[in-house]
Amino acid sequence: MAIENGSLKNLVSPDGTISREVFVNREVYDQELEQVFSRAWLLVGHESLIPKPFDFFQSRMGEDSVILTRDRQDKIHVLLNSCMHRGMRVCRYDKGNARSFTCPYHGWSYSVDDKVVKTPGQLVGVPGYEEHYRCKLDKEAWGLVRCPNVFNYKGTIWASWDKNAPPFLDYIGDMKLYLDAALDNPDGSEGGSEVIGGVQRWRVPCNWKFAPENFIGDHYHNISHRSVDLVGIGPSDGRGRRDTEEYESLIIGFPKLGHGVIGALPHYQELPYSASYRNNKEVQEYYRQVYERRVKLLGDRKRVLTGVATIFPNMSFHGIQPRTLAIFHPQGPTEMEMWRFYLVDKDAPEVVRDMLRHYYLRYSGPGGLTESDDMENWGYATQASKGTIARRHPYNYQMGMGYAEPVKDLRDAVVGGDTTEENARIFYNRWRQFMEGQSWEQLMAGANQEGK
Ligand code: FES
Ligand SMILES: [Fe+2]
């Protein structure tokens, strides 16, 4: 199973085993950047991080730094954050507001003002343009590299470098329903969420795939969170990690697309108003009203209630509290940079925001108790897989193989019960297809697409 003569074949085996090279090998990693991260749709940010014209937010796509910016017409652009002269980072701030970016190295400047330039990111200022370049430098040709595909889905901003990538909605298929559960207001109205308190970014000494694999369907690692469950970090400070109502959690995967969720099948269920958030009467009252609005608005429409999920390759989300989005940026074969965006209802009063902010910090992020457990596992697993002897032995992903069944109400989905490694197999099979360099035609073959 090891890499032979530079071949990446057989790393993901049909017998449900996966070579450790997939998690520690530099050559595999370099191919991932090329085949996965320069083609797939990636989450790059949220519109609430750049609410006004010329606001910017520095983001990443794979190892590439990008600038997310909004022009005068409110159109969002994604630009490569690397000067076209010698590659210097033209933007070194996490966020801010700027009509142009001037490179600190030799002073080339690029405008994002659509009143000044035809294409945001265009080169407008070059020191010595007349004297040293004799006016011969083609400024239109040397603007910042622009990402050709940018899509705003209910406030989340997605981008792909590949001109031939399918539309974002085709790429996610019916995973959309689960993403909606994270992005819609819990009162049933569409969208209406915003990022609270900025974005947490930190490094974890593990291969980036450990995280999306965990979120896509690892439903049996609760032993890791035993201490958190004993201490209790829920919104009402009680025992456990959550005190929201019980929800059904099945392993539902999308084999043709590579996404998956630990959640419920589409169904109608009145959200039972439980005594959650019972420590704070104001917060409790807010959620009671949210529930009443929801019942009024949704009537008997189907709803999907989700726990946690992954959109291939490196974005995961929590559709229930703590409601967050995560990105796992590759940072070498044995390191990743993890980002967390925390969502709140736009119209939530201060007291609710404050309660959620504290809860999110207790649960997630570098200091969050639940996240710390997971990071410890991923870090030690990566380190213990690097050794000469260790890497000769594949990981086992054989749980529940051959038992997944199609789902009636979801396009291209299968369900494998409540505990199976089906979704991890789906994820790595998709990864294999990308790594083999399959065309988009091959990658999307057989998947039901919007409008087709
Ligand atoms: S590297 Fe940017 S102007 Fe030279
Ligand atoms: Fe976990």
Side-chain angles (χ1 to χ4, degrees):
M1 287 253 287
I3 298 187
E4 279 163 23
N5 306 323
S7 163
L8 301 177
K9 290 221 166 86
N10 301 326
L11 295 175
V12 177
S13 166
D15 70 1
T17 59
I18 297 182
S19 166
R20 296 191 190 205
E21 300 294 342
V22 168
F23 303 90
V24 297
N25 186 291
R26 165 62 62 174
E27 204 183 324
V28 170
Y29 176 76
D30 289 344
Q31 281 295 311
E32 282 178 332
L33 295 181
E34 187 65 38
Q35 300 294 355
V36 180
F37 287 93
S38 64
R39 297 201 291 157
W41 280 98
L42 305 172
L43 179 67
V44 289
H46 193 278
E47 65 175 8
S48 63
L49 295 164
I50 48 167
K52 299 186 303 298
F54 311 124
D55 279 351
F56 68 83
F57 169 72
Q58 197 188 136
S59 187
R60 289 178 55 153
M61 293 172 73
E63 283 203 23
D64 286 306
S65 172
V66 295
I67 305 166
L68 200 62
T69 177
R70 188 190 280 271
D71 69 21
R72 234 173 241 280
Q73 329 287 328
D74 271 341
K75 188 160 180 231
I76 291 174
H77 304 273
V78 175
L79 305 167
L80 190 66
N81 186 14
S82 180
C83 181
M84 293 300 281
H85 183 230
R86 289 290 184 284
M88 176 66 189
R89 219 169 243 221
V90 295
C91 171
R92 289 178 297 166
Y93 296 97
D94 287 346
K95 56 190 290 205
N97 185 283
R99 284 165 200 233
S100 65
F101 293 93
T102 300
C103 178
Y105 199 172
H106 311 90
W108 283 25
S109 60
Y110 304 87
S111 174
V112 290
D113 186 346
D114 43 319
K115 212 172 190 181
V116 176
V117 289
K118 265 197 288 191
T119 330
Q122 199 179 307
L123 180 64
V124 286
V126 177
Y129 179 71
E130 280 101 31
E131 206 182 338
H132 308 308
Y133 286 94
R134 274 92 178 163
C135 299
K136 283 202 176 124
L137 180 70
D138 181 357
K139 289 191 198 158
E140 287 203 11
W142 288 93
L144 293 175
V145 175
R146 276 161 50 84
C147 188
N149 305 306
V150 179
F151 189 75
N152 182 340
Y153 186 68
K154 295 187 174 179
T156 49
I157 312 299
W158 299 78
S160 160
W161 289 112
D162 191 341
K163 298 197 285 313
N164 301 318
F168 175 74
L169 292 178
D170 289 350
Y171 180 83
I172 60 169
D174 271 2
M175 258 309 274
K176 181 170 65 135
L177 300 172
Y178 292 97
L179 185 57
D180 287 345
L183 302 180
D184 286 343
N185 192 305
D187 73 3
S189 58
E190 288 212 350
S193 299
E194 65 183 18
V195 173
I196 182 177
V199 179
Q200 280 185 319
R201 314 166 189 224
W202 71 104
R203 298 271 171 103
V204 187
C206 74
N207 184 274
W208 67 270
K209 293 185 290 300
F210 271 99
E213 176 198 312
N214 177 291
F215 281 75
I216 205 172
D218 189 340
H219 205 200
Y220 49 94
H221 72 279
N222 261 356
I223 184 173
S224 301
H225 298 305
R226 185 155 160 70
S227 54
V228 178
D229 283 334
L230 285 173
V231 175
I233 57 164
S236 301
D237 303 331
R239 265 168 81 118
R241 279 169 278 153
R242 302 189 170 98
D243 59 6
T244 43
E245 64 288 340
E246 285 294 304
Y247 62 94
E248 185 185 23
S249 44
L250 296 168
I251 307 296
I252 302 160
F254 295 81
K256 291 173 182 160
L257 300 168
H259 320 308
V261 60
I262 308 173
L265 291 168
H267 64 293
Y268 175 75
Q269 179 199 336
E270 287 201 0
L271 186 69
Y273 174 68
S274 65
S276 293
Y277 317 108
R278 56 191 165 271
N279 275 5
N280 189 315
K281 287 276 171 270
E282 277 175 278
V283 174
Q284 205 173 21
E285 176 56 21
Y286 172 76
Y287 282 107
R288 197 186 57 75
Q289 287 172 13
V290 163
Y291 163 67
E292 274 172 12
R293 290 207 302 271
R294 182 181 184 92
V295 171
K296 220 187 226 163
L297 196 72
L298 287 188
D300 62 355
R301 269 170 42 198
K302 276 186 178 156
R303 61 190 285 271
V304 171
L305 186 64
T306 176
V308 296
T310 289
I311 292 183
F312 184 88
N314 69 332
M315 182 271 186
S316 297
F317 59 88
H318 275 198
I320 53 166
Q321 296 295 13
R323 201 153 60 95
T324 67
L325 312 177
I327 315 179
F328 314 108
H329 298 291
Q331 191 68 45
T334 55
E335 186 168 285
M336 73 165 171
E337 189 168 297
M338 197 160 161
W339 289 14
R340 277 267 190 192
F341 302 70
Y342 300 91
L343 298 175
V344 293
D345 318 339
K346 248 184 209 153
D347 55 3
E350 208 43 51
V351 62
V352 171
R353 286 165 182 265
D354 204 47
M355 180 280 293
L356 288 176
R357 192 168 54 80
H358 283 99
Y359 175 42
Y360 292 161
L361 290 173
R362 289 200 297 276
Y363 192 108
S364 303
L369 291 180
T370 311
E371 201 106 278
S372 307
D373 295 336
D374 293 319
M375 291 189 292
E376 207 174 324
N377 289 323
W378 304 335
Y380 279 106
T382 299
Q383 294 310 311
S385 295
K386 278 191 342 193
T388 314
I389 305 302
R391 61 204 286 176
R392 291 179 193 161
H393 300 275
Y395 292 160
N396 184 301
Y397 287 86
Q398 293 175 326
M399 185 199 286
M401 237 177 126
Y403 291 96
E405 288 175 1
V407 173
K408 217 169 44 233
D409 291 345
L410 286 171
R411 293 177 304 165
D412 302 323
V414 296
V415 61
D418 66 359
T419 308
T420 167
E421 282 169 341
E422 187 68 21
N423 279 6
R425 289 189 292 272
I426 285 173
F427 179 88
Y428 289 108
N429 194 45
R430 192 60 168 166
W431 178 87
R432 177 187 59 75
Q433 293 169 347
F434 271 81
M435 291 291 277
E436 285 171 0
Q438 291 193 10
S439 67
W440 279 109
E441 211 168 46
Q442 291 170 302
L443 287 169
M444 298 302 288
N448 263 301
Q449 294 172 44
E450 291 279 310
K452 289 198 179 166

